[in-house]
Amino acid sequence: MSRFRLLSKNSNAADISDCSYNTLNSKADIPALFYSINERIFPNGKPDTSLKLVKQLVTWLLAHSKVGPGLSGPSEQALDTLLHGSGGVCSDMAQIFNNFCVINDIPVREWGTTSAPFNRANGGHSFNEVYINSIDKWILVDASLGVLFFKKNNEPLSVLELYKSIRAGQAVQYDSFIADLDIPLKQVHKNYLSADITPFLICNYQNTIYDRYLKYGRPHVPVFIIHFLVYLRGKSYHYKFPIDDYRKIFS
């Protein structure tokens, strides 16, 4: 929780409107393994819309990976481990998804959630948001579940639209775009629909910096020490809370 205090900042919708993982992570920053796997994901060429591309990407990743212990390693190693079925949690999937979006020219960003006040039983969750040109908006996509959220008009919701709708008592719908995938209501409620959940945007994550530190630091140095060293260099990611005062977490 001490790291959370250091990294958290209050924000607003206007302040995060231009935040994108792509800004600090170019195609040249993404390791070679992502490109070779990308050819396997799109063997017949890429779909004609960005939303179809995102759905095909998530569908392939979920079909070829199995969750396991958290990885906390450099991105290329994390992708290799995830695809071989020996580890990976939602935050690993979200980070891997970020890199695939970069090489496919999809604006992307990563979100997390926690409970306010903090509830250890919640555990938190990580997911993504992508910008879809055809509808001119950011939409929430859970790369670990293959889930989108909607209101009555069937237009996918952004992260802020989802949480503002929930707090206003408005009905929201969710569905997986992966055939025959059953999404447990309990999991969706814990990660999204519970009244005490607060979302935060993960900003300023530079893949090359963390890859370098994790490659040479792990397994010799604990992960929290590696992250603290990046923080001392002024190169750390941080969390922006656009809806709630982050201090509610510690109340």
Side-chain angles (χ1 to χ4, degrees):
M1 296 303 288
S2 296
R3 190 176 75 179
F4 225 99
R5 288 181 186 272
L6 285 173
L7 300 180
S8 296
K9 302 178 180 180
N10 290 327
S11 185
N12 55 60
D15 184 46
I16 68 168
S17 61
D18 294 328
C19 290
S20 171
Y21 181 84
N22 311 62
T23 303
L24 294 177
N25 298 279
S26 69
K27 290 184 177 182
D29 296 329
I30 309 304
L33 181 61
F34 284 86
Y35 286 89
S36 61
I37 296 299
N38 201 60
E39 293 178 0
R40 292 167 56 187
I41 297 173
F42 304 105
N44 301 315
K46 298 178 184 178
D48 57 359
T49 71
S50 51
L51 184 55
K52 289 179 182 177
L53 188 150
V54 166
K55 289 180 178 180
Q56 185 172 334
L57 170 58
V58 172
T59 301
W60 192 96
L61 288 174
L62 290 180
H64 293 81
S65 61
K66 294 181 180 179
V67 298
L71 300 176
S72 298
S75 60
E76 192 165 36
Q77 178 184 321
L79 175 59
D80 184 64
T81 303
L82 189 76
L83 295 181
H84 285 86
S86 54
V89 294
C90 58
S91 57
D92 299 307
M93 180 65 86
Q95 181 60 44
I96 285 168
F97 179 79
N98 282 339
N99 287 346
F100 276 114
C101 284
V102 168
I103 66 177
N104 286 295
D105 300 307
I106 303 293
V108 65
R109 50 197 191 185
E110 182 180 348
W111 289 80
T113 60
T114 188
S115 52
F118 180 70
N119 178 1
R120 190 172 297 275
N122 181 292
H125 188 53
S126 297
F127 51 93
N128 302 86
E129 197 174 32
V130 292
Y131 189 82
I132 303 300
N133 289 324
S134 60
I135 56 177
D136 192 26
K137 66 182 290 188
W138 290 94
I139 67 167
L140 186 161
V141 57
D142 191 321
S144 297
L145 298 175
V147 166
L148 298 174
F149 288 85
F150 308 87
K151 292 181 80 170
K152 289 182 178 180
N153 62 359
N154 290 325
E155 182 178 296
L157 295 174
S158 70
V159 171
L160 294 187
E161 285 175 334
L162 172 66
Y163 286 100
K164 288 179 179 179
S165 296
I166 292 169
R167 295 178 182 208
Q170 300 170 354
V172 296
Q173 303 167 0
Y174 67 91
D175 194 16
S176 173
F177 49 80
I178 300 175
D180 302 321
L181 184 62
D182 181 35
I183 306 301
L185 175 61
K186 181 178 179 181
Q187 187 172 3
V188 173
H189 189 274
K190 184 184 77 167
N191 294 334
Y192 294 104
L193 306 181
S194 180
D196 66 342
I197 294 298
T198 183
F200 54 89
L201 184 62
I202 301 170
C203 301
N204 204 48
Y205 189 100
Q206 293 181 263
N207 194 67
T208 52
I209 289 177
Y210 281 95
D211 274 3
R212 187 182 311 124
Y213 272 77
L214 290 167
K215 179 179 179 180
Y216 295 106
R218 296 282 288 160
H220 311 291
V221 180
V223 172
F224 76 91
I225 295 293
I226 294 172
H227 283 260
F228 188 62
L229 290 173
V230 178
Y231 174 80
L232 290 178
R233 279 196 60 201
K235 299 291 186 178
S236 175
Y237 58 82
H238 55 268
Y239 306 135
K240 288 189 175 183
F241 285 75
I243 296 180
D244 298 306
D245 186 332
Y246 76 88
R247 289 167 291 192
K248 289 174 59 180
I249 299 170
F250 311 105
S251 61

